[in-house]
Amino acid sequence: HAQEVWLQVEANNQAAINLYRGLGFEDRQIVTLWRTDVPSASEAPTVVPTPEVHVRSRLVRRKDWTLQKQWLQAAYPEDLAWHYPLPPTRALAPTWRGWLWRATHPLTYRQWVAYRNGKLRAALVLCQRAFAASDEVLIAAPPDLRPEEMAALAAPLQNRRTPRPLRAELPQGFLQKAMPAAGFGIARQLLWMYWHPRA
């Protein structure tokens, strides 16, 4: 009696994709899986964080929440965000509803926000997963985020007490130039596919 079935498959595995399409699965989105422990990450050029970006560990200002929410919804569509450690648009809201969610769902995570000339440029959330091989990173940013801004935003990650590999899933092509500045390399390209019963 399943209402939906979701799967991820390597984007270049055409034989499997054809098989799933033949079973009624439909393409939804290709995502890039970024990691800090792949060879391309260590080969990335060093980018100096720009001093014009000020990074703080906090929630965004209430007046900037609408913008951050738009970025989160673009990077993590609601129907694809169910497998993340926290629902970003609810857990990060600087409102009483967000506070209530955080009070009733204790999670180990931190958020850093980056401002440039008083304007929000991006936010990064680190979700530490106790029994996983890596920690999750969620990123809310505009498509034009510069590498030096990404380097500044990710700089606090260097000071983690228990440094483990980091992983981030983003839509294909999104922040393609900025992510290497934070020490990430492409591990895989994955196609999200879903099946639902026909009417």
Side-chain angles (χ1 to χ4, degrees):
H1 303 290
Q3 297 302 307
E4 286 186 331
V5 179
W6 288 85
L7 62 83
Q8 284 184 331
V9 58
E10 294 279 359
N12 62 358
N13 190 346
Q14 199 57 50
I17 292 171
N18 291 340
L19 171 65
Y20 297 136
R21 286 174 180 164
L23 294 172
F25 281 83
E26 300 175 16
D27 299 6
R28 177 60 176 82
Q29 184 184 55
I30 296 179
V31 298
T32 300
L33 176 59
W34 295 88
R35 290 184 63 99
T36 57
D37 59 346
V38 297
S40 57
S42 59
E43 296 167 4
T46 302
V47 177
V48 178
T50 175
E52 298 173 6
V53 172
H54 301 283
V55 179
R56 299 288 182 271
S57 177
R58 51 166 293 179
L59 296 174
V60 297
R61 298 180 299 209
R62 187 181 289 261
K63 68 176 186 176
D64 294 323
W65 169 239
T66 300
L67 181 59
Q68 185 190 15
K69 187 176 180 180
Q70 290 174 355
W71 291 341
L72 287 168
Q73 290 173 332
Y76 310 100
E78 199 163 308
D79 58 344
L80 297 181
W82 52 267
H83 71 295
Y84 291 113
L86 79 166
T89 56
R90 279 183 286 168
L92 304 175
T95 62
W96 70 267
R97 291 179 187 273
W99 178 88
L100 183 62
W101 193 95
R102 291 187 293 275
T104 56
H105 298 78
L107 292 173
T108 304
Y109 76 92
R110 287 187 68 185
Q111 175 175 252
W112 289 271
V113 293
Y115 283 88
R116 185 172 192 163
N117 298 326
K119 294 183 179 180
L120 179 67
R121 283 301 291 157
L124 181 149
V125 182
L126 171 65
C127 301
Q128 295 174 304
R129 305 187 301 172
F131 301 104
S134 61
D135 291 331
E136 189 84 28
V137 171
L138 304 179
I139 300 170
D144 64 346
L145 188 70
R146 300 173 184 172
E148 62 270 21
E149 293 176 321
M150 186 68 206
L153 178 64
L157 296 176
Q158 306 298 324
N159 301 321
R160 289 174 294 143
R161 290 184 180 178
T162 55
R164 295 193 296 172
L166 300 173
R167 67 188 302 275
E169 273 190 22
L170 293 170
Q172 185 183 37
F174 182 60
L175 300 184
Q176 190 86 19
K177 295 181 179 178
M179 289 298 285
F184 286 85
I186 295 177
R188 305 168 78 184
Q189 299 275 359
L190 301 169
L191 171 64
W192 271 101
M193 304 183 76
Y194 76 102
W195 170 92
H196 60 88
R198 301 292 181 185

